[in-house]
Amino acid sequence: MNDRIARLRESLEEPLLVTNPTNVVYLVGFESSNTVLLVDPERVQLFTDFRYLEAAHAVEGVEVVQTKRAIVADLAERLTGRIGFEAATMSFAQVETLGGGLELVPRVGLVERLRAVKDERELEVLRRACKITDRVYDRLREVRFIGRTEREVSWDLTRLFHEEGGEGLAFESIVGAGPTGARPHARAGDRTIERSELVVIDAGCTVGGYASDYTRTFSTGPVDEQAREAYAVVLAAQETALDTIRAGLPAIEVDAAARKVVEESQFAGMFGHGLGHGLGLDVHEKPSMSTETSDVLEAGNVVTVEPGVYVEGKFGVRIEDDVVVTADGIENLTGFTKDLLDVS
């Protein structure tokens, strides 16, 4: 924790008010719905109200300050001088409340840039989350799909993650069968899964606060040639991306390499989202791999690699791995097969 504070201090031009709760967890390991951290060259102050005071006093290396429940208004009466704030987290109303006699300086991404490069402890936790996810996907072979609703299969995923040691779901599991799968972020609903259709499963768990995030596409019996070809194209696009990734490469180039495979197939225009995103304490964090990103990959980044094809009204295909970026390639944390499995 002290090393993270030290690295943050190297980038500061003035004290920084850390209001993103995930950033507070990352820097000092304190989780609360009402806390603010002030990092300056001399000390680290942890502000929170009475409800979290006992837990705050267990945090090493910080000066705990009890505030009122209206923490931002309380800080407005305590703080003076020039202070940086996390512009992506604080609302306009909060900035106005805090304003007054302070010289507030908006800062973006100072902690997030640190979070993007994982240390060995973080990587080990992510490896554990991914091994659990591998086991859950393997056990999906035991689950009956045909004749049951997407929501029922989603409930099975919740049970399996619990049984395999996940501490919680990383996000609401996606189960998209047939035409539902053509919506990349479809919610599992009451649609009954039928024979001979594709089913997109996107799920993950948390371990020690860190998230896994896999997608696999299954079939419930023989599917038509268009569906089989879509699966082959998505798999080829993902393999191309995995072979392209390395530290120092602009992330947009990895996206472009995978996208080229799809655009040169019969499914041109049907891969409408980014190739992937960073993974850690948040399911979506830096770096981004998309057509719009300016991020450059670094050794220690953990990213998803998830090309897809979505044929409106018919089906979707997505294949997603979690990988660590290394100097000359990747460490793939995802062990589950990418064969098109028949779960009928």
Coordinates of all heavy atoms in Angstrom, one line a residue, residues 8-18 37-43 80-86 103-108 110:
L8 N 2.0 7.4 -6.5 CA 1.1 8.4 -6.7 C 1.7 9.8 -6.5 O 1.5 10.7 -7.3 CB -0.2 8.2 -5.9 CG -1.2 9.3 -6.0 CD1 -1.7 9.4 -7.4 CD2 -2.4 9.1 -5.0
R9 N 2.4 9.9 -5.4 CA 3.0 11.2 -5.0 C 3.9 11.7 -6.1 O 4.1 12.9 -6.3 CB 3.7 11.1 -3.7 CG 2.8 11.1 -2.5 CD 3.6 11.0 -1.2 NE 2.8 11.2 0.0 CZ 2.9 10.6 1.1 NH1 3.7 9.6 1.2 NH2 2.1 10.9 2.1
E10 N 4.6 10.8 -6.8 CA 5.5 11.2 -7.9 C 4.8 12.0 -9.0 O 5.5 12.8 -9.7 CB 6.2 10.0 -8.5 CG 7.2 9.3 -7.5 CD 7.8 8.0 -8.1 OE1 7.4 7.7 -9.2 OE2 8.6 7.3 -7.4
S11 N 3.5 11.8 -9.2 CA 2.8 12.4 -10.2 C 2.0 13.6 -9.8 O 1.3 14.3 -10.6 CB 1.8 11.4 -10.9 OG 0.8 11.0 -10.0
L12 N 2.1 14.0 -8.5 CA 1.2 15.0 -8.0 C 1.9 16.4 -8.1 O 3.1 16.5 -7.8 CB 0.8 14.8 -6.5 CG 0.0 13.5 -6.2 CD1 -0.3 13.4 -4.7 CD2 -1.2 13.5 -7.1
E13 N 1.1 17.4 -8.4 CA 1.6 18.8 -8.4 C 1.0 19.5 -7.2 O 1.4 20.6 -6.9 CB 1.2 19.5 -9.7 CG 1.8 18.8 -11.0 CD 1.4 19.5 -12.3 OE1 1.0 20.7 -12.2 OE2 1.4 18.9 -13.3
E14 N 0.0 19.0 -6.6 CA -0.6 19.5 -5.4 C -1.3 18.3 -4.7 O -1.4 17.2 -5.3 CB -1.7 20.6 -5.8 CG -2.9 20.1 -6.6 CD -2.6 19.9 -8.0 OE1 -2.0 20.9 -8.6 OE2 -2.9 18.9 -8.6
P15 N -1.7 18.5 -3.5 CA -2.4 17.4 -2.8 C -3.6 16.9 -3.6 O -4.3 17.7 -4.3 CB -2.9 18.1 -1.5 CG -1.9 19.2 -1.2 CD -1.6 19.7 -2.6
L16 N -3.9 15.7 -3.5 CA -5.0 15.1 -4.3 C -6.1 14.6 -3.4 O -5.8 13.8 -2.5 CB -4.5 14.0 -5.2 CG -5.6 13.3 -6.1 CD1 -6.1 14.2 -7.1 CD2 -5.0 12.0 -6.8
L17 N -7.3 15.0 -3.7 CA -8.5 14.5 -3.0 C -9.0 13.3 -3.8 O -9.5 13.4 -4.9 CB -9.5 15.6 -2.9 CG -10.6 15.5 -1.8 CD1 -9.9 15.5 -0.4 CD2 -11.5 16.7 -1.9
V18 N -8.9 12.1 -3.2 CA -9.3 10.9 -3.9 C -10.7 10.5 -3.5 O -11.0 10.2 -2.3 CB -8.4 9.7 -3.6 CG1 -8.8 8.4 -4.3 CG2 -6.9 10.1 -4.0
L37 N -10.0 10.3 0.6 CA -8.6 10.2 0.9 C -7.9 11.5 0.5 O -8.2 12.0 -0.7 CB -8.0 9.0 0.2 CG -6.7 8.4 0.8 CD1 -6.9 7.8 2.2 CD2 -6.2 7.4 -0.2
L38 N -7.1 12.1 1.3 CA -6.3 13.3 0.9 C -4.9 12.9 1.0 O -4.3 12.6 2.0 CB -6.6 14.5 1.8 CG -5.8 15.7 1.4 CD1 -6.2 16.2 0.0 CD2 -6.0 16.8 2.4
V39 N -4.2 12.9 -0.2 CA -2.8 12.5 -0.3 C -2.0 13.8 -0.5 O -2.2 14.4 -1.6 CB -2.6 11.5 -1.4 CG1 -1.1 11.1 -1.5 CG2 -3.4 10.2 -1.2
D40 N -1.1 14.1 0.4 CA -0.2 15.2 0.2 C 1.3 14.7 0.4 O 1.5 13.5 0.7 CB -0.6 16.4 1.0 CG -0.4 16.2 2.5 OD1 0.5 15.4 2.9 OD2 -1.1 16.8 3.3
P41 N 2.3 15.5 0.2 CA 3.6 15.1 0.4 C 4.0 14.6 1.8 O 4.9 13.8 1.9 CB 4.5 16.3 0.0 CG 3.6 17.1 -0.8 CD 2.2 16.9 -0.3
E42 N 3.3 15.0 2.8 CA 3.7 14.7 4.1 C 2.8 13.6 4.8 O 3.3 12.8 5.6 CB 3.6 15.9 5.0 CG 4.4 17.1 4.5 CD 5.9 16.8 4.4 OE1 6.4 16.0 5.2 OE2 6.6 17.3 3.5
R43 N 1.6 13.5 4.4 CA 0.7 12.5 5.1 C -0.4 12.1 4.2 O -0.7 12.6 3.1 CB 0.1 13.2 6.3 CG -0.7 14.5 6.1 CD -1.2 15.1 7.3 NE -1.9 16.4 7.0 CZ -2.6 17.1 7.9 NH1 -2.6 16.7 9.2 NH2 -3.2 18.2 7.6
T80 N -8.0 23.9 3.0 CA -7.7 25.2 2.5 C -6.6 25.1 1.4 O -6.0 24.0 1.3 CB -7.1 26.1 3.6 OG1 -5.9 25.5 4.2 CG2 -8.1 26.4 4.7
G81 N -6.4 26.1 0.6 CA -5.3 26.1 -0.3 C -5.7 25.5 -1.7 O -6.8 25.4 -2.1
R82 N -4.6 25.0 -2.4 CA -4.8 24.5 -3.7 C -4.8 22.9 -3.6 O -3.9 22.3 -3.0 CB -3.5 24.9 -4.6 CG -3.5 24.3 -6.0 CD -2.2 24.7 -6.7 NE -2.0 24.0 -7.9 CZ -2.3 24.5 -9.1 NH1 -3.0 25.7 -9.2 NH2 -2.1 23.8 -10.2
I83 N -5.9 22.3 -4.1 CA -6.1 20.9 -4.0 C -6.6 20.3 -5.3 O -7.5 20.9 -6.0 CB -7.1 20.6 -2.9 CG1 -6.5 21.0 -1.5 CG2 -7.5 19.1 -2.9 CD1 -7.4 20.7 -0.4
G84 N -6.0 19.2 -5.8 CA -6.5 18.5 -6.9 C -7.6 17.6 -6.6 O -7.7 17.1 -5.4
F85 N -8.5 17.4 -7.5 CA -9.7 16.5 -7.3 C -9.9 15.6 -8.5 O -9.5 16.0 -9.6 CB -10.9 17.3 -6.9 CG -11.5 18.1 -8.1 CD1 -12.5 17.5 -8.9 CD2 -11.1 19.3 -8.4 CE1 -13.1 18.2 -9.9 CE2 -11.6 20.1 -9.4 CZ -12.6 19.5 -10.2
E86 N -10.5 14.5 -8.3 CA -10.7 13.5 -9.3 C -12.0 14.0 -10.1 O -13.1 13.8 -9.8 CB -11.0 12.1 -8.8 CG -9.7 11.5 -8.1 CD -9.9 10.1 -7.7 OE1 -10.8 9.8 -6.9 OE2 -9.0 9.3 -8.1
E103 N -8.7 26.5 -3.9 CA -8.3 26.5 -5.4 C -8.4 25.1 -5.9 O -7.4 24.3 -5.6 CB -7.0 27.1 -5.6 CG -6.6 27.2 -7.0 CD -5.1 27.7 -7.2 OE1 -4.5 28.1 -6.2 OE2 -4.7 27.7 -8.4
L104 N -9.4 24.7 -6.5 CA -9.6 23.3 -7.0 C -9.0 23.1 -8.4 O -9.3 23.9 -9.3 CB -11.1 22.9 -6.9 CG -11.7 22.9 -5.5 CD1 -13.2 22.7 -5.7 CD2 -11.1 21.8 -4.7
V105 N -8.3 22.0 -8.5 CA -7.6 21.7 -9.8 C -8.1 20.4 -10.3 O -7.9 19.3 -9.6 CB -6.1 21.7 -9.7 CG1 -5.4 21.4 -11.0 CG2 -5.6 23.0 -9.1
P106 N -8.8 20.3 -11.4 CA -9.3 19.0 -11.9 C -8.2 18.1 -12.4 O -7.3 18.6 -13.1 CB -10.3 19.3 -13.0 CG -9.8 20.7 -13.5 CD -9.3 21.4 -12.3
R107 N -8.1 16.9 -11.9 CA -7.1 15.9 -12.4 C -7.9 14.6 -12.8 O -8.9 14.2 -12.3 CB -6.2 15.5 -11.2 CG -5.4 16.7 -10.7 CD -4.4 17.3 -11.8 NE -3.6 18.4 -11.3 CZ -2.9 19.2 -12.1 NH1 -2.8 19.0 -13.4 NH2 -2.1 20.1 -11.5
V108 N -7.3 14.0 -13.9 CA -8.0 12.8 -14.5 C -6.9 11.7 -14.6 O -5.8 11.9 -15.1 CB -8.5 13.2 -15.9 CG1 -9.1 11.9 -16.5 CG2 -9.5 14.3 -15.8
L110 N -5.0 9.9 -12.5 CA -3.8 9.7 -11.8 C -3.7 8.4 -11.1 O -2.6 7.7 -11.2 CB -3.6 10.9 -10.8 CG -3.5 12.3 -11.4 CD1 -3.3 13.3 -10.2 CD2 -2.3 12.4 -12.3

